[in-house]
Amino acid sequence: MHNRYGKLASWVYHLDKPIGHSFGDQEYYRQRLTGCDGAVLEPAVGNGRIFVPLLEAGLAIEGFDASQDMIEYCQQECLKRRLPTPLTCQTFDNFHYERRFAAIILPAGSFQLITDTTSAMAVLKRFHDHLLPGGRLILDIDSIESIMEDSGSARSWVVKENELLTLISQRAGIDHIRQTTLSHLRYEHWRDGALLGTELDLFHLRWWGVAELAFALREAGFVDVVASGDYQHGRPPRQGDQIISFEATRR
């Protein structure tokens, strides 16, 4: 199961998580990529929240996303800054590049958007095959604790006078066998009290255990797997961590 980011969802994402906004991940990825000698790939690049600052920092980074609306926001932000736009609309399942990369990064729990375990394993192998020998995969996942705490919310963003976007999120189900959650995300665009448009996304996420994902990475061919808590590289995850980062190397 793959989630989609339509027009309203992408607009809300761009307002809520603008270019350069950091959860601690922007600084972490810049530090982990210091001295990276070669091209970097960011799958599920989104609006370019991390991608654009890494481009500005001089990294040779490319990206793809399954949402054309997201890609367009990223392209616009690159063009504003007179940066290159090495972006394509591709999916986790079928992305392809002729060359291999020195690093592949997946911030913000993007890997959890792949909810089928067989598909997730196939994607890890695709990442492995798109890395140079010695290349690194760096990805984040939300801790199980933080996923279970998120039961829903209602938020709004003022676009301009008398115009706003709203998002109502509600937990709709948990599948403990498949290790997935389902949330209903309702996006609405309002002007002068009138509803101009609405989108309903059935948003699926998969949770992973720390040892489970480490095992999956090794099964995909990676070595030197390191799990770190809350963007402190080398510090093992512990109770209360919100984010767990994995780094693994292609032999």
Side-chain angles (χ1 to χ4, degrees), residues 148-179:
M148 293 306 173
E149 287 174 351
D150 183 15
S151 59
S153 64
R155 303 180 63 196
S156 63
W157 296 262
V158 176
V159 180
K160 53 187 176 183
E161 188 176 357
N162 299 325
E163 186 172 355
L164 76 158
L165 295 168
T166 61
L167 167 60
I168 298 175
S169 170
Q170 184 175 15
R171 175 64 54 79
I174 299 175
D175 187 328
H176 290 91
I177 301 300
R178 295 179 182 273
Q179 296 178 214

Side-chain angles (χ1 to χ4, degrees), residues 101-103 128 131-137 223-224 247-251:
F101 296 88
H128 178 273
L131 284 168
L132 292 164
R136 290 175 294 155
L137 173 65
V223 296
D224 301 329
E247 189 164 323
T249 304
R250 172 170 177 163
R251 191 186 302 275

Side-chain angles (χ1 to χ4, degrees), residues 235-247:
R235 197 267 282 162
R238 61 192 181 205
Q239 191 74 20
D241 286 343
Q242 296 296 298
I243 296 291
I244 300 166
S245 301
F246 288 80
E247 189 164 323

Side-chain angles (χ1 to χ4, degrees), residues 1 4 17 21 28-29 45 49 54 62-63 76 106 132 135 156 183 191 196 212 238 244:
M1 176 66 68
R4 68 182 183 89
K17 302 175 180 68
H21 181 81
Y28 181 79
Y29 279 88
V45 68
R49 179 181 67 87
L54 291 180
E62 300 183 31
Q76 291 168 12
L106 284 94
L132 292 164
S156 63
S183 297
R191 183 185 296 148
L196 300 182
E212 177 190 23
R238 61 192 181 205
I244 300 166

Side-chain angles (χ1 to χ4, degrees), residues 1-2 92-93 95 106 110-128 137 139 141 178 180 206-208 212-213 216-217 219-220 222:
M1 176 66 68
H2 296 293
F92 283 124
D93 293 331
F95 77 90
L106 284 94
S110 298
F111 183 64
Q112 293 169 272
L113 298 174
I114 310 167
T115 54
D116 177 73
T117 304
T118 301
S119 296
M121 287 301 305
V123 171
L124 288 179
K125 290 176 181 176
R126 290 181 72 81
F127 291 156
H128 178 273
L137 173 65
L139 63 83
I141 59 170
R178 295 179 182 273
T180 60
R206 188 198 195 282
W207 72 78
W208 291 82
E212 177 190 23
L213 185 49
L217 287 163
E219 280 292 296
F222 289 97

